[in-house]
């Protein structure tokens, strides 16, 4: 099994963002605030219009803002197709087929892009903006992923993989795990990889 840190072109839903100045930063922040309000409104409305017997409305933690091809969600052993606008829930497993892709946007503005033949378990999501508390735990299985941290304290995020646990600091990063190699590519911020043997690697240089 090989572990690498290198530049990697990973396809993901949505457009790439460049930081070219304060003006653009303000625009990006404004879009993030509007997206967060939109997600909260859609989650609340969907819970009222389409209640699920096995899932409480409070467990909706975000929604799929873009879906390409076949994507499924499994909650309490029940599988359903994930479409653009579908709510996602704590403890849900998201799977994509050979050509499937999904972009998941959460209540704290975290964004997770999931590539083809990938699986992620949305283990835990707690967000209380008034008390500035919360926790986000996701288990990334095989596949390709792009993760953008949201508005919570960066210490609240924990990304678990079969190879290492990833901690974040104001971060955009990519992960590839195909069962034979594990690749982490930093785009912005910093990540800390903690391995089962106790070794810790910090990546703070993009590329």
């Amino acid at each position: 099994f090989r572990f690498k840190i290198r530049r990697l072109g990973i396809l993901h839903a949505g457009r790439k963002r460049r930081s070219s100045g304060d003006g653009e930063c303000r625009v990006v922040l404004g879009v993030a605030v509007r997206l967060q309000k939109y997600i909260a409104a859609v989650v609340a409305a969907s819970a009222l219009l389409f209640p699920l017997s096995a899932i409480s409305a409070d467990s909706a933690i975000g929604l799929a803002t873009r879906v390409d091809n076949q994507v499924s969600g499994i909650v309490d052993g029940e599988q359903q197709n994930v479409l653009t606008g579908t709510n996602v829930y704590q403890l849900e497993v998201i799977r994509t087929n050979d050509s499937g892709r999904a972009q998941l946007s959460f209540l704290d503005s975290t964004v997770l892009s999931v590539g083809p033949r990938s699986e992620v378990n949305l283990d835990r999501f707690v967000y209380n903006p008034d008390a500035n508390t919360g926790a986000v735990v996701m288990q990334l299985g095989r596949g390709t992923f792009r993760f953008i941290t949201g508005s919570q304290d960066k210490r609240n995020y924990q990304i678990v993989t079969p190879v290492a646990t990833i901690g974040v600091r104001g971060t955009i990063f990519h992960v590839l795990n195909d069962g034979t190699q594990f690749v982490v590519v930093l785009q912005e911020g910093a990540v800390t990889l903690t391995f089962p043997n106790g070794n810790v690697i910090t990546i703070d240089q993009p590329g």
Side-chain angles (χ1 to χ4, degrees), residues 3-5 9 13 21 40 51 68 83 87 94 97-99 103 105 136 147 160 164 166 169 180 190 193 196-197 199:
F3 167 71
K4 295 182 179 180
I5 303 172
D68 296 326
L83 307 174
N87 284 349
I94 302 294
N97 70 357
D98 290 352
S99 58
Q103 180 171 284
S105 297
V136 176
F147 187 86
V160 181
I166 303 173
R169 299 202 302 268
T180 61
L193 280 64
N197 62 5
N199 288 343

Side-chain angles (χ1 to χ4, degrees), residues 38-133:
Y38 166 75
I39 292 171
V42 171
V43 167
S46 298
L48 291 173
L49 293 174
F50 306 104
L52 298 178
S53 59
I55 304 170
S56 67
D58 290 340
S59 63
I61 59 176
L63 73 161
T65 50
R66 179 171 176 177
V67 174
D68 296 326
N69 301 314
Q70 183 68 39
V71 178
S72 61
I74 303 171
V75 182
D76 291 336
E78 297 185 5
Q79 180 172 313
Q80 65 174 353
N81 290 332
V82 175
L83 307 174
T84 299
T86 298
N87 284 349
V88 293
Y89 297 89
Q90 186 168 258
L91 298 178
E92 183 168 7
V93 177
I94 302 294
R95 290 176 180 165
T96 60
N97 70 357
D98 290 352
S99 58
R101 289 181 173 85
Q103 180 171 284
L104 310 179
S105 297
F106 299 88
L107 291 172
D108 67 342
S109 298
T110 294
V111 178
L112 175 67
S113 297
V114 185
R117 290 184 291 181
S118 302
E119 178 175 309
V120 56
N121 191 330
L122 308 178
D123 265 2
R124 188 181 183 201
F125 187 96
V126 178
Y127 179 48
N128 185 343
D130 296 328
N132 195 28
T133 58

Side-chain angles (χ1 to χ4, degrees), residues 30-44:
V31 171
V33 170
R34 290 196 296 274
L35 178 61
Q36 183 176 350
K37 292 180 179 178
Y38 166 75
I39 292 171
V42 171
V43 167

